[in-house]
Amino acid sequence: MGYLDIPFMKPFILWMTGLPCSGKTTIVKDLQKDIPNLAMLDGDELREWFSPKDFSKAGRDEHNKKVAHLAKLLLNHGVPSVVSLVSPYIENRENAREIINAGEQFAECYVKCSLEKCEERDVKGMYAKARKGEIKGFTGIDDPYEAPEKADLVIDTEHDSLSDSANKVKDFLKERNLL
């Protein structure tokens, strides 16, 4: 597909939040198959560069702000982006919305999945390590996850297939005239 073959789309930021292993990154990778030039800002990858090993509340707050500023930069350059970040606190997500300040071009997506199901999906063994005390401040175990009360979109990955979840995101973006 050449540059001129890419359909016009407005840039957007989709801020995906949910427990670790809820399916955020998996959904984004599926979306990248159908949405040209979709940037993924993945929390695990970004943490290595921006905020290694600081999982304190202050560290998480700072990390979320850095990612929000990066997302805003991409938006300002016309790049559609999906942030795949636990963003455990309501305040984190409100700050991101304020920093990005993009109106309808910003949407918070709650990737809903039970703690039990997330633990089942955990191929890295993070939850088991957290339960043994080997990882401190792990979201959902010994650090809270504040589920969104007013998310723009809710995806239930415990009950919906990957294809259905990705299609819900695409339908939502089309409803907002972003795709």
Side-chain angles (χ1 to χ4, degrees):
M1 178 182 300
Y3 177 75
L4 296 176
D5 298 325
I6 297 172
F8 174 77
M9 86 175 89
K10 289 182 187 174
F12 59 83
I13 302 295
L14 184 61
W15 194 278
M16 296 186 113
T17 178
L19 286 168
C21 304
S22 60
K24 299 177 296 296
T25 300
T26 303
I27 292 170
V28 182
K29 286 179 179 177
D30 195 70
L31 290 171
Q32 287 179 315
K33 295 175 190 173
D34 296 324
I35 303 174
N37 203 32
L38 180 66
M40 174 173 57
L41 300 178
D42 181 70
D44 291 340
E45 290 179 15
L46 292 173
R47 184 161 282 288
E48 288 182 39
W49 295 100
F50 286 163
S51 315
K53 308 289 187 230
D54 186 357
F55 288 93
S56 66
K57 174 143 182 3
R60 290 173 194 244
D61 291 346
E62 186 63 25
H63 181 66
N64 275 264
K65 287 177 185 175
K66 289 175 182 178
V67 173
H69 282 287
L70 178 58
K72 182 177 182 169
L73 179 66
L74 289 170
L75 182 73
N76 290 342
H77 286 279
V79 179
S81 305
V82 180
V83 175
S84 173
L85 201 63
V86 172
S87 303
Y89 312 112
I90 291 170
E91 177 186 9
N92 295 151
R93 300 183 299 268
E94 289 173 353
N95 285 338
R97 188 180 296 268
E98 187 176 306
I99 289 166
I100 295 168
N101 191 25
E104 290 289 308
Q105 289 175 266
F106 176 92
E108 179 183 332
C109 176
Y110 174 32
V111 180
K112 182 180 173 184
C113 189
S114 71
L115 179 62
E116 296 76 25
K117 189 66 165 176
C118 290
E119 287 189 74
E120 266 180 47
R121 294 176 177 170
D122 181 14
V123 295
K124 296 179 190 174
M126 299 177 299
Y127 281 98
K129 289 178 183 175
R131 290 205 180 275
K132 292 177 190 171
E134 295 172 19
I135 298 176
K136 302 286 184 204
F138 192 79
T139 303
I141 303 299
D142 61 348
D143 200 63
Y145 177 76
E146 299 171 352
E149 297 170 358
K150 299 179 278 184
D152 299 295
L153 177 63
V154 177
I155 304 286
D156 184 347
T157 62
E158 188 163 354
H159 300 100
D160 294 340
S161 70
L162 173 58
S163 176
D164 288 344
S165 296
N167 285 335
K168 283 182 182 179
V169 173
K170 289 182 274 189
D171 289 345
F172 172 82
L173 294 170
K174 286 175 186 172
E175 287 170 16
R176 284 216 174 162
N177 295 313
L178 298 171
L179 275 186

